[in-house]
Amino acid sequence: MLYYLFTYLDREYDMFGAGVFQYISFRAGMATMVSLLIAMIFGGKLIRVLQRKQVGESIRDLGLEGQLEKKGTPTMGGLIILLAILVPTLLFARLDNIYIILMLVSTVWLGAIGFLDDYIKVFKKNKEGLAGRFKILGQIGLGLIVGLTLYFNDDVVVRQYIFTDGGTSAVNASKKYVDVHSMITTIPFRKNNELDYCNLFSFAGPLFQGWSCYLYIPFVILVITAVSNGANITDGIDGLAAGTSAIIGLTLAIFAWVSGNTIFADYLDIMFIPNSGELAIFSLAFVGACVGFLWYNTYPAQVFMGDTGSLSIGGIIAVLALIVRKELLIPILCGIFLIENLSVMLQVSYFKYTKKKYGEGRRIFKMSPLHHHYQKLGYHESKIVGRFWIVGIMLAILTLATLKLR
C-alpha cells in the first residue's frame, strides 16, 4: 500500500524521497526490518495473551530429556510469523502482482488450516487435532489454486530470446525477445538446463505430448504437500524449523532477485521471469518473520509455532520455489525437511516389514523423526539444532552454486 501512496506523491507532487519506493531493494530492506520488529515486539505481547488464555502445548511422554518441562508452553506462535509476513508484504509489495497475490493466498490458506488444527488440539482437548485427511485436502486445494494459476494465468510468463534461425531460449541469446506463457523450469547442474513440462512425453507422439502439460498440476500438489508436511515434521525441537526455514527463505529471496532482474539474469545466464523480483520483498519479510520468531523460540522456547506456523512456512517455501522455477532444487535446498520426512517413512516401513516377516517390529533409528534419534543418543537440543542449521547453510550454498555449476 505504501508503494502506491509514495508513487502517487512522487508523480503528482514530486515529493522528496518518494521515488525510493520504486526500488525493490529499498522495499525489501524495509519489509525485513518491519517484519523483524513485528515479530519481536508483538511476539512478546501475543505470548502473554496465549498464556492468559492457557493456550499451552500438551506433551506426550516420549522419554526424551527435558521434554516434560515444556508442558504448558504456549503454542499457536505461528500467528506471530503470519502477522510478521502479511503486514510488511501488504505495506511494501505491489499488490497487483500475480506472484504476490499467490503468496498471500498461500500464507493465509495454510495458516488457516494449521490454526484450525491447533485450535482443535488446545480448545477441544483433542490431541489428534484436525484429521489428516482434511489437512491433505487443504494442501491439495492450495495445490490446485497455485497449479491452475501458474498454468493458465496470462501474467505468468518467462522471457524467450529469439535466435536468428527462429529458435528460442530462456537465457539471453539475442537482443530480440518475447515474453511467453510457458511451463519451462530449470534443471540443476545442466548446461542447457531448460525443461518444458509439456515436452515430457514428446517421444510418445502428439497425443501424449498434449496431456503431459497437465501433469504439472499434480506435480505442484505433490511439491506443496511434501514440503509443508516436511516443515511440520521438522518442527519438533526448539528453533529447528524456524531457523532452517529462514536459511531456505533467504536463498529463495536471492533466486527471486536475480530471476526478476534483467542485468543479473543476463550475467548469470539464467531464465528471466518478468515481475518475479517483487517476490524478494515477500521472501525477506518471511526471513525476518522466522528470525524474529527465533527471539522467543530458541532453547528454551517461550512459544511453539504449532501447525499454524509449520504448515504455512512449508507451503510458502514450496510455492516460492515453484514460482521462480526452482522446484527441482527442493530436494537439495530443503534437504533437512527431506531427510526428516524420509526418516519417518523408513522407520514406519521397516517396522511394518520386520513385524510381518519376523513377528516383531524392528527400528532403523532409535526414534523418528531424525532429530529425536539424536536426542535419544544424548545430544542436547541446542547442539542438534546448531548442527542442522550448519547443514542447512551448506545445502543453501550448494543450491546457489547451481547458478553457475552446469
Side-chain angles (χ1 to χ4, degrees):
M1 290 182 281
L2 291 180
Y3 167 81
Y4 298 103
L5 173 62
F6 282 94
T7 298
Y8 171 78
L9 293 174
D10 183 47
R11 184 180 65 248
E12 299 296 329
Y13 301 103
D14 195 24
M15 180 180 174
F16 176 76
V20 75
F21 275 79
Q22 297 296 316
Y23 295 98
I24 291 176
S25 55
F26 173 78
R27 289 185 283 128
M30 291 299 296
T32 310
M33 290 302 299
V34 171
S35 179
L36 274 167
L37 289 172
I38 289 173
M40 292 171 67
I41 295 171
F42 292 98
K45 295 181 179 180
L46 181 59
I47 289 171
R48 288 191 289 275
V49 170
L50 293 173
Q51 287 172 335
R52 285 199 300 270
K53 299 288 185 182
Q54 296 183 332
V55 183
E57 181 80 4
S58 58
I59 303 293
R60 289 185 299 168
D61 187 2
L62 300 175
L64 298 171
E65 185 180 350
Q67 180 191 24
L68 295 180
E69 297 172 7
K70 299 182 180 184
K71 187 175 181 180
T73 302
T75 187
M76 288 189 175
L79 291 171
I80 299 170
I81 297 175
L82 296 181
L83 185 68
I85 293 172
L86 294 173
V87 172
T89 302
L90 292 171
L91 286 175
F92 296 104
R94 292 189 60 172
L95 302 180
D96 59 345
N97 184 292
I98 184 61
Y99 302 130
I100 293 295
I101 294 171
L102 265 183
M103 294 314 307
L104 290 173
V105 170
S106 301
T107 304
V108 173
W109 186 283
L110 286 177
I113 294 171
F115 178 83
L116 183 58
D117 184 53
D118 288 335
Y119 182 86
I120 293 171
K121 288 177 182 176
V122 174
F123 293 102
K124 301 298 182 182
K125 307 301 180 183
N126 183 344
K127 292 182 180 180
E128 299 301 320
L130 185 65
R133 63 181 180 275
F134 293 119
K135 286 185 188 177
I136 295 295
L137 282 174
Q139 291 164 334
I140 291 172
L142 178 62
L144 285 171
I145 292 171
V146 174
L148 291 170
T149 301
L150 294 177
Y151 188 86
F152 288 108
N153 193 286
D154 292 334
D155 292 330
V156 179
V157 296
V158 296
R159 183 154 294 177
Q160 294 277 293
Y161 295 90
I162 304 171
F163 290 105
T164 53
D165 62 0
T168 60
S169 172
V171 298
N172 195 354
S174 167
K175 291 183 179 180
K176 294 182 179 180
Y177 65 84
V178 59
D179 292 338
V180 297
H181 184 73
S182 174
M183 287 293 101
I184 62 171
T185 191
T186 304
I187 306 176
F189 304 113
R190 284 195 59 188
K191 187 173 182 180
N192 299 315
N193 62 347
E194 298 169 29
L195 169 69
D196 193 333
Y197 286 96
C198 293
N199 291 332
L200 283 176
F201 297 105
S202 57
F203 61 89
L207 177 62
F208 288 95
Q209 183 176 356
W211 277 100
S212 65
C213 289
Y214 294 103
L215 291 177
Y216 177 72
I217 295 170
F219 180 70
V220 169
I221 294 171
L222 175 64
V223 169
I224 291 174
T225 303
V227 180
S228 58
N229 285 333
N232 187 238
I233 289 172
T234 303
D235 181 35
I237 53 179
D238 300 348
L240 181 56
T244 303
S245 298
I247 295 165
I248 296 170
L250 182 58
T251 307
L252 289 170
I254 295 170
F255 277 125
W257 176 263
V258 298
S259 298
N261 185 293
T262 53
I263 297 173
F264 288 133
D266 182 21
Y267 172 73
L268 294 168
D269 203 28
I270 61 173
M271 186 188 308
F272 173 63
I273 307 171
N275 302 316
S276 64
E278 287 289 314
L279 286 172
I281 299 167
F282 181 93
S283 301
L284 288 177
F286 172 75
V287 173
C290 290
V291 172
F293 182 73
L294 282 173
W295 186 266
Y296 301 103
N297 188 238
T298 48
Y299 182 86
Q302 296 172 254
V303 66
F304 301 138
M305 67 170 66
D307 282 11
T308 306
S310 59
L311 283 177
S312 57
I313 62 177
I316 286 167
I317 288 168
V319 178
L320 276 171
L322 286 160
I323 291 174
V324 297
R325 317 283 175 131
K326 298 295 183 290
E327 66 273 15
L328 298 183
L329 282 168
I330 284 177
I332 302 173
L333 179 58
C334 300
I336 297 295
F337 295 168
L338 177 63
I339 198 67
E340 293 275 55
N341 251 336
L342 285 176
S343 68
V344 174
M345 293 167 64
L346 288 171
Q347 185 88 321
V348 172
S349 300
Y350 187 71
F351 185 86
K352 289 182 177 179
Y353 168 75
T354 53
K355 188 172 184 179
K356 184 177 181 180
K357 186 172 182 178
Y358 304 110
E360 181 184 8
R362 301 175 185 177
R363 293 174 173 84
I364 300 172
F365 307 103
K366 289 184 176 295
M367 189 176 180
S368 64
L370 188 62
H371 56 261
H372 287 326
H373 170 75
Y374 289 110
Q375 280 186 284
K376 286 285 190 180
L377 288 175
Y379 289 90
H380 192 272
E381 278 190 48
S382 298
K383 179 168 284 190
I384 298 169
V385 170
R387 290 183 174 177
F388 272 54
W389 285 359
I390 292 169
V391 173
I393 292 169
M394 293 169 62
L395 292 172
I397 292 170
L398 177 60
T399 303
L400 289 171
T402 62
L403 290 170
K404 279 299 181 183
L405 288 177
R406 301 176 198 166

